[in-house]
Amino acid sequence: MLSLNNVTKKYGNFTALENINLEFSGGVYALLAPNGAGKTTLIKMLTTLISPTNGEILWNGDEIVRLDASYRDIIGYLPQDFGYYRNHSPREFLLYMSALKCIDRDKAKRKTDELIDLVGLSDVRDKKMKKFSGGMIQRVGIAQAMLNDPKILVLDEPTAGLDPKERVRFRNLISSLSKDRIVILSTHIVSDIETIARRVIMFKNHSLFANDTPTSICGML
Ligand code: ADP
Ligand code: ADP
């Protein structure tokens, strides 16, 4: 289980998030927040890029900043605006990312092929990503986030810019991945929340405003 206990993040004198308490145990958690509400700040703390000013973030009782390298094995991350390496094929890109993650070559090959099949890109595994649609690129993004079999998958606006058909397909993929792990995603898209989220988390005035089921939240929107 992942938990935030009284987490506050300040940038200088400015408080971006104040006294946040949250628990994540499994399934899809959607962060629904307008720009400036603090979702990037939360995602950066969860991926250990920045630390809380006060409070603690715990994975099964251990502070994530102290777990360090072993925590990075637990987390998979799909950043916003993912989609570089367009001159590479999905297979080349995933092998390169595996090398960066220090996954040994044989395992990387096996894992890469397995993930390409899982995200539905088998037919284009050796094609350059140049002509890939937004949805195909996001599926490569999910595959790279899954290379280390993470227990926590953090997806920053994963469905932004996808057409409706690809969005449905992508949501089904996310939903299937959330069966054995925690998925935390940020989104502005209400249909993402209605269809796959187990909990919806909202911030207002830099504090936690809601942490509830999609049905209760959608009544409020
Ligand atoms: P998003 O599109 O995810 O809301 P933003 O455009 O708000 O992201 O911010 C992009 C990056 O710039 C983030 O990493 C954020 O931490 C940083 N940032 C945002 N506002 C400021 C600021 N006032 N001063 C310094 N950095 C900032
Ligand atoms: P969101 O991702 O929801 O748009 P952010 O977490 O990027 O929100 O930002 C929350 C607030 O904190 C914003 O007002 C932003 O300007 C401010 N902020 C973010 N990063 C920095 C930073 N590095 N320095 C100063 N202010 C920041």
Side-chain angles (χ1 to χ4, degrees):
M1 177 152 74
L2 179 69
S3 52
L4 277 75
N5 295 338
N6 289 315
V7 168
T8 293
K9 179 65 194 179
K10 294 185 181 179
Y11 298 108
N13 290 327
F14 176 78
T15 304
L17 286 174
E18 186 156 37
N19 260 326
I20 306 294
N21 289 290
L22 285 170
E23 280 185 354
F24 304 93
S25 54
V28 177
Y29 296 78
L31 302 175
L32 178 68
N35 282 334
K39 68 190 158 38
T40 307
T41 298
L42 179 66
I43 285 174
K44 282 184 177 174
M45 288 194 290
L46 293 176
T47 54
T48 69
L49 218 53
I50 58 175
S51 306
T53 310
N54 289 113
E56 51 187 16
I57 304 179
L58 305 176
W59 171 251
N60 294 337
D62 293 316
E63 248 190 290
I64 61 172
V65 284
R66 286 182 214 286
L67 289 169
D68 198 32
S70 65
Y71 179 71
R72 265 176 262 129
D73 282 339
I74 292 165
I75 199 147
Y77 177 42
L78 173 59
Q80 211 177 347
D81 303 322
F82 169 81
Y84 315 103
Y85 304 98
R86 292 273 189 150
N87 265 322
H88 293 65
S89 68
R91 198 156 184 280
E92 287 168 339
F93 171 67
L94 292 171
L95 288 172
Y96 172 64
M97 290 304 284
S98 308
L100 291 184
K101 293 181 191 214
C102 301
I103 298 169
D104 81 64
R105 186 93 186 147
D106 285 341
K107 187 176 172 203
K109 282 185 181 165
R110 205 172 354 103
K111 199 74 208 163
T112 290
D113 285 334
E114 190 186 303
L115 285 169
I116 286 173
D117 293 341
L118 179 77
V119 302
L121 294 174
S122 315
D123 295 346
V124 293
R125 73 178 73 225
D126 295 312
K127 293 264 191 305
K128 282 188 182 181
M129 294 192 268
K130 220 168 236 159
K131 291 183 181 161
F132 280 21
S133 67
M136 290 163 86
I137 292 289
Q138 285 301 79
R139 284 186 268 146
V140 176
I142 287 280
Q144 66 79 35
M146 288 289 296
L147 280 169
N148 52 350
D149 286 319
K151 300 272 183 240
I152 307 165
L153 197 53
V154 179
L155 314 173
D156 198 353
E157 303 254 4
T159 62
L162 303 190
D163 67 40
K165 204 170 150 194
E166 277 192 319
R167 189 169 291 147
V168 170
R169 184 170 182 175
F170 199 66
R171 278 206 287 257
N172 290 338
L173 175 62
I174 293 172
S175 188
S176 71
L177 296 176
S178 75
K179 296 211 162 66
D180 335 306
R181 59 183 54 77
I182 298 168
V183 177
I184 301 170
L185 57 86
S186 64
T187 186
H188 294 294
I189 298 161
V190 175
S191 54
D192 286 350
I193 295 158
E194 290 172 334
T195 49
I196 57 171
R198 168 184 173 191
R199 304 289 290 186
V200 184
I201 294 162
M202 295 167 85
F203 300 129
K204 197 173 176 181
N205 297 328
H206 311 289
S207 299
L208 190 64
F209 170 64
N211 177 7
D212 218 325
T213 60
T215 321
S216 337
I217 296 283
C218 289
M220 289 161 53
L221 296 179

